Amino acid sequence: MQLNRDDLLKAYRDMRTIRAFEDRVHDEFAKGGIPGFVHLYAGEEASGVGVCMNLDDRDKIASTHRGHGHCIAKGCDAKAMMKEIYGKRDGLCGGKGGSMHIADLSRGMMGANGIVGGGPPLICGAALTAKTLKTGGVAVAFVGDGGSNQGTTLESYNLARVWNLPVIFVVEDNGYAESTASAWSVGGSQKKRAEAFGMPGLEVDGHDFFAVNEAARQAVEWARGGDGPSLIHVRLDRHYGHFEGDAMTYRADGEVEKLRAERDALNIFRAKVVQAHLLESSQLDAIDAEVAAIIDEAVAEAEDASPPGEVDLLTDVYVSY
Amino acid sequence: MSKKSYRQAINEALAQEMRRDPTVIVMGEDNAGGMGAPGEDDAWGGVLGVTKGLMPEFGRERVLDTPISESAFIGAAVGAAATGLRPVAELMFVDFLGVCFDQIFNQAGKFKYMFGGKAVTPLVVRTMYGAGFRAASQHSQCLYPIFTHIPGLKVVIPSSPYEAKGLLIQSIRDDDPVIFLEHKVLYDDEEEVPDEPYTIPFGEANLTREGEDVTIVAFGRMVKFANEVADKLEKDGISCTVVDPRTTSPLDTDTILESVEETGRLVVVDEANPRCNMATDISALVAQEAFGALKAPIKMVTPPHTPVPFAPQLEDLYIPSPEKIEAAVRAVAGA
Amino acid sequence: MPKWGLAMSEGTVVAWYLGEGAEVAKGDDLLDIETTKITNVVESPHTGMLRRQAAPEGATLPVGALLAVLAGPEVSDAEIDAFMAEFNANFEVEAAAAEAAAPEPETRDAGGVAINLLAMGDKTQDTAPIILVHGFGGDLNNWMFNQPMLAERHRVIALDLPGHGRSAKDASAGDMAALSATLLASLDALDIGAAHLAGHSLGGAVAMQTALDQPARAASLTLVASAGLGRDINMDYIEGFQRAGRRKDLKQVLQALFADASLVSRDMVDDILKFKRLDGVEQALATIADGAFAGGRQASVLGHRLHELEAPVQVIWGADDQVIPAAHAREVPATVKVHILDGAGHMVHMEKAGEVNALIEAIVAG
């Protein structure tokens, strides 16, 4: 897919929205405004957006603990997401899911998942639906390097292959499963694992939107064309800890500062498009300002929104009972 | 209307729903059988032949054989249900729950709630349960209390061929995830089953016997035993109501309580292990809601707190027998 | 032991009305038999002396088993003993043969509608057979106490209306004209020209419509607790029948059908629940009820036209009918014979089967 200027503007806007959203959640969490656990996607924006730019309304994604970025990349409403993370009644899931279960099926976003490795089997099912009903849709399972070691994920590789499903497994390897290094916890390589199951494995630099976008374009083409599943191993970094409150004592001194300075996906994107005269700096600055305003509004609205009431405790368990 | 076995009733329900609704698919290990093998297609039709004949009629696209990967294919069924199909996935033996439970209880069971009511997951998991096949500890358990414990799941335990067909069609048409438990010892039981499709609603207990002296609540195969005991004791002047709740979630508590209010005596027969099973659940319900009606202590007839043994002599001792049920009924009746 | 309905295989002696040595007239009540579905009286088929009660109270015996021996006083005890011994020796063989020859229901295409029917009796006996049409929510088994007895001398066909029993459940055109057309198409499918039409409740209205539309097809008309003679209808019953999904609720509704509410057995309720659960039944019943009883009133009242028929017409009612008032029996021309039977409700042909059978025999005899 040749990206036009509108595509590039959208890519930047989505990445910037994720970054601003996550940076702000980080700040508000520290202030005590947000309950529970949150796991932030800042630093990984090029992956979610690079992949989802290739998807449309027919397509489904399943996410991880670190799901806010995938939500935004798949078109979920950032304000409704913020309300959900605050546990408010008008949140994307009525305040019943929160950060770890944030979802919007109407956008093809089948949920962040509190269970590591929970998504790949589900995405095989979404792909089976697309194949059975001949919708032309594809399904993408985002998995972390931690999730890549779960049996569910490896079983799903096999199932997707033997059923020849239109699935793309995107392994987002940010170097750490919780506090444990992927260099230690992953045996073999993600690419060779894919090849061992009879599907192509691609390796890309996850700081480079264009690299991810091109790999995903290829994988989506295979899936839509009936060639079945493939895997993309995306190497990237997270700017924050595993969860908010993680002191990150397992990371090297200066590690985060260095990657923020040298390997920031938004900076890399900006430099490329400006140098190539595809977009003007001023256009990107304008987006930054618009996004900042939206996130300010999102937080203000979320803080003001009503929590669910006692009546909401008992609803939405069953369709009928 | 003709006599059909429990196995035929289930097969007919699947076939009729697949004809009616093109989004209904079935999947499981060897559901057709012979996939990729040099011999016959539809070689097995499920390990005990329950899905035999579906693949020739509906094709491999709607009757999917799976690798032996319960996590992946049960999860795929959940994902397919959440995106527009009505999958009926077969978990061959309920004992295999251990390798795929996450997809059932953390995913299917919680989607609707976690996603603020916006998910619909019309999934059916068919699974075999129960002792009596000399199948030992990992192929014989009654794990329905575990599913019953999980909000978001519905749990169905058909006790006869008629019940099996109507409850399975209801399960397939239901918009919530349903666990449908088939007792392997009942597959060759026969009774009159209508040829037409029909549904039996969930949460409505069936009174298979009506009497005045003792209420027996029983599940699945135990309903059959309870009926035998009720018929025998009727001749001895002890008349029993046998309540088959049909579904443990939702549970028809009203019918159980009404019956105990009438008889004042309760025996609960449950093939599940005794801690936190349906017998304790119903006993607690009655103790809390109908204590004043009780004329005798409640009796529970269950297996012991052991795995299911292999040796036939031991397995026979393990299973709640008609004799044990009779003794319990006589004890509460004071006769 | 009589066979009441296809499913009956055995019955239990509840009580004897007469002791050994009693003089018995044909039609006298001999004893009560209980099946899993219903309890009913066995009437004496002959006149004579009750010499033996062959089964004690409480005994459960298969269909065809010996219940009683009637004979004149001149027959010796030894002869009776010999008869009983011979009967019982041959009984198993005969029972098996009877079972094998038992009539089976069949399905016919009636103008594109698959209609289930049960034919009994000798096909060569009558030029005009008896056709039995059940009511709303019923089926051909409602005639279990009538069809076998009438079939001893006549060809008798009971059928399931569309949406009922084992007939097609599509009653998309469920009004009186459509039901009547299906009845006529059933007669055509069976190569029956004229028939003695007998209908109960809604089935009575269907039979009446058919007779008025095609007088040549009606050799006689028997209307049992029939719809179509007045506007009143107990909508609590009609709606309750449709709504009840649980045994307890349905049992309460069904008790309105009988003068003796205890006749509603577990099996009767179960059978109707099973029927109501079939795909299409809920819709079919709603369609028919909407057509026949819109706004809580009977839509089709034709009783005043019965004088148009040359064929004999009779009306039979249970005095305690709670579904359609027995007063409707009087809403007919003077040419119509009216029989109101005490101690019976809407299911008068079950509760007073002997009397109803005799009245049908009489009108068929002309």
Side-chain angles (χ1 to χ4, degrees), chain C residues 136 175-176 200-206 208-209 223-235 237-238 288-304 317 321-329 331 346:
Chain C
F136 179 78
D175 60 9
M176 207 54 73
H200 172 246
S201 197
L202 176 79
V206 175
M208 180 161 50
Q209 176 87 53
L223 302 173
V224 184
S226 184
L229 299 178
R231 294 288 172 194
D232 304 314
I233 178 76
N234 178 351
M235 287 309 284
Y237 173 79
I238 298 294
I288 291 170
D290 287 350
F293 313 121
R297 309 276 288 159
Q298 293 194 39
S300 170
V301 175
L302 297 168
H304 58 281
W317 229 288
D321 195 321
Q322 301 167 56
V323 177
I324 304 177
H328 285 195
E331 307 281 326
H346 193 59

Side-chain angles (χ1 to χ4, degrees), chain A residues 115-189:
Chain A
I115 306 302
V116 175
L122 301 172
I123 223 62
C124 287
L128 178 65
T129 299
K131 187 178 175 183
T132 304
L133 301 181
K134 299 182 171 58
T135 65
V138 304
V140 178
F142 289 98
V143 193
D145 48 286
S148 80
N149 292 329
Q150 282 280 29
T152 48
T153 303
L154 299 165
E155 282 191 26
S156 296
Y157 293 172
N158 187 57
L159 189 68
R161 178 69 275 169
V162 302
W163 279 356
N164 198 40
L165 296 173
V167 170
I168 299 147
F169 299 100
V170 178
V171 179
E172 294 181 326
D173 179 0
N174 60 24
Y176 299 96
E178 304 186 6
S179 75
T180 300
S182 61
W184 178 84
S185 68
V186 177
S189 82

Side-chain angles (χ1 to χ4, degrees), chain C residues 120-145:
Chain C
M120 287 186 182
D122 186 345
K123 199 168 180 173
T124 62
Q125 267 173 334
D126 293 295
T127 48
I130 301 171
I131 305 290
L132 304 173
V133 188
H134 66 79
F136 179 78
D139 66 23
L140 59 80
N141 285 315
N142 294 162
W143 303 100
M144 66 170 79
F145 302 138

Side-chain angles (χ1 to χ4, degrees), chain B residues 204-317:
Chain B
E204 286 191 13
N206 188 27
L207 304 185
T208 61
R209 298 290 186 276
E210 283 182 274
E212 287 131 34
D213 301 324
V214 179
T215 299
I216 309 176
V217 179
F219 297 88
R221 185 188 183 204
M222 296 299 116
V223 174
K224 190 175 156 182
F225 287 179
N227 288 339
E228 286 173 24
V229 169
D231 292 344
K232 182 179 178 200
L233 292 180
E234 183 78 38
K235 297 189 175 87
D236 292 356
I238 303 173
S239 85
C240 300
T241 291
V242 177
V243 181
D244 170 8
R246 288 180 170 140
T247 55
T248 58
S249 179
L251 181 67
D252 183 355
T253 55
D254 288 353
T255 296
I256 294 168
L257 292 170
E258 279 169 21
S259 179
V260 174
E261 295 280 357
E262 285 167 19
T263 62
R265 298 181 178 89
L266 175 64
V267 172
V268 194
V269 189
D270 187 353
E271 199 189 320
N273 286 117
R275 295 281 87 78
C276 297
N277 66 359
M278 292 312 301
T280 57
D281 187 71
I282 288 168
S283 299
L285 169 82
V286 169
Q288 183 163 293
E289 304 290 338
F291 188 76
L294 288 173
K295 299 172 189 161
I298 297 164
K299 283 268 182 196
M300 294 185 255
V301 185
T302 72
H305 188 61
T306 69
V308 182
F310 166 64
Q313 295 79 358
L314 291 179
E315 193 186 32
D316 291 346
L317 289 170

Side-chain angles (χ1 to χ4, degrees), chain B residues 86-141:
Chain B
R86 289 186 178 269
V88 182
E90 180 182 304
L91 177 60
M92 188 183 293
F93 293 93
V94 73
D95 313 70
F96 305 166
L97 172 63
V99 293
C100 61
F101 195 23
D102 178 68
Q103 295 293 328
I104 295 172
F105 90 107
N106 269 326
Q107 312 294 339
K110 294 183 174 53
F111 276 175
K112 186 162 185 61
Y113 199 80
M114 291 193 304
F115 301 165
K118 286 183 274 189
V120 179
T121 313
L123 164 76
V124 181
V125 176
R126 289 182 42 241
T127 187
M128 257 191 281
Y129 77 100
F133 248 46
R134 316 314 189 198
S137 296
Q138 295 175 345
H139 286 69
S140 302
Q141 295 167 85

Side-chain angles (χ1 to χ4, degrees), chain A residues 92 129 313 318-321, chain B residues 83 113 118 153-154 176 249:
Chain A
L92 202 54
T129 299
L313 177 66
Y318 295 94
V319 175
S320 61
Y321 197 63
Chain B
T83 52
Y113 199 80
K118 286 183 274 189
L153 301 179
K154 292 176 176 171
D176 291 309
S249 179

Side-chain angles (χ1 to χ4, degrees), chain A residues 24-38 86 244-245:
Chain A
R24 187 63 180 273
V25 169
H26 173 80
D27 293 345
E28 298 301 328
F29 189 89
K31 287 193 253 170
I34 295 172
F37 297 125
V38 289
Y86 272 80
E244 285 312 279

